[in-house]
Amino acid sequence: MVYFWCGGVLLLSACSSSKKAGKTETASSTSLHDFEADFKPADHEGDASDIFANLRKERDKKETTPEVTTTPETPLFVTGYRVQLYATNDIDEANAKKATAEAAFPDEWFYIEYDPPTYKLRAGNFLSRSEAESFLQTLQSAGYPDAWIVPDRVLKSPPLRRAQKNPD
C-alpha cells in the first residue's frame, strides 16, 4: 500500500493482482490468453497502417452511402389535384357515395377526407391540372354536376386500382 498526502487529504492507493485476491480466470480470459500466446504478427499480410486504412475506407463508404430503402408500400406524396364529388356531415352517406362512384369508375381511386365536421369524397391522383380537368368533365357528364377540382397531396405513382381488389 502507498500513502499520498495531497493538499491536506490522505490518499490511499493499493495495487493487487487478481491472483493475489483469490479470483479465478474466466473462460473468455483463458481463450484470450491462448489467442495472444499463439498470435504472430508476421503471419498477417501488410502492416497495421494498411489494415486500418482499409477499415477506414469501409467505414467511410458506409457513412457516405446511406441505406435508402424504398419499398412499394412506401407511398410518395407530391402536390397535385383531386376532384371533389361530394361533401356531407354523415359518414355513412359519404361511404355510400364512394361505393357508387367506385362502381361507376372502377379504374379510379376515391378517398374520403375528414375536415371536421365534413366528410369530403374526392377522386384521383392527378399530377397536372389538365388531367384533373379531363376527369372532371367525365364526372360531370356522368351525373356529378357539382364536382370541382381541388389542390391536394396526391400519390406520385399509385398502383392500379383493379389490381388491389380481390377477385371473387
Side-chain angles (χ1 to χ4, degrees), residues 85-106:
L85 288 73
Y86 192 71
T88 181
N89 291 341
D90 183 12
I91 184 67
D92 294 328
E93 188 176 346
N95 282 326
K97 292 286 185 178
K98 180 181 177 187
T100 303
E102 285 177 336
F105 302 96

Side-chain angles (χ1 to χ4, degrees), residues 65-117:
T65 55
E67 294 182 25
V68 177
T69 56
T70 305
T71 61
E73 296 85 31
T74 306
L76 177 62
F77 286 92
V78 295
T79 302
Y81 301 92
R82 290 203 171 126
V83 178
Q84 184 164 322
L85 288 73
Y86 192 71
T88 181
N89 291 341
D90 183 12
I91 184 67
D92 294 328
E93 188 176 346
N95 282 326
K97 292 286 185 178
K98 180 181 177 187
T100 303
E102 285 177 336
F105 302 96
D107 293 333
E108 196 57 62
W109 286 97
F110 290 89
Y111 305 91
I112 294 177
E113 295 184 23
Y114 183 59
D115 185 15

Side-chain angles (χ1 to χ4, degrees), residues 122-145:
R122 293 183 177 174
N125 290 295
F126 305 111
L127 301 178
S128 69
R129 185 161 181 98
S130 62
E131 291 175 307
E133 287 174 355
S134 174
F135 188 66
L136 173 64
Q137 290 175 356
T138 304
L139 282 173
Q140 287 176 337
S141 64
Y144 295 93

Side-chain angles (χ1 to χ4, degrees), residues 4-42:
F4 295 100
W5 184 260
C6 182
V9 177
L10 181 64
L11 299 175
L12 174 66
S13 175
C15 295
S16 66
S17 69
S18 61
K19 290 182 182 178
K20 288 182 181 177
K23 294 184 181 177
T24 60
E25 292 186 24
T26 62
S28 63
S29 66
T30 303
S31 63
L32 179 61
H33 177 69
D34 293 342
F35 174 78
E36 289 175 344
D38 295 338
F39 182 74
K40 296 177 186 167

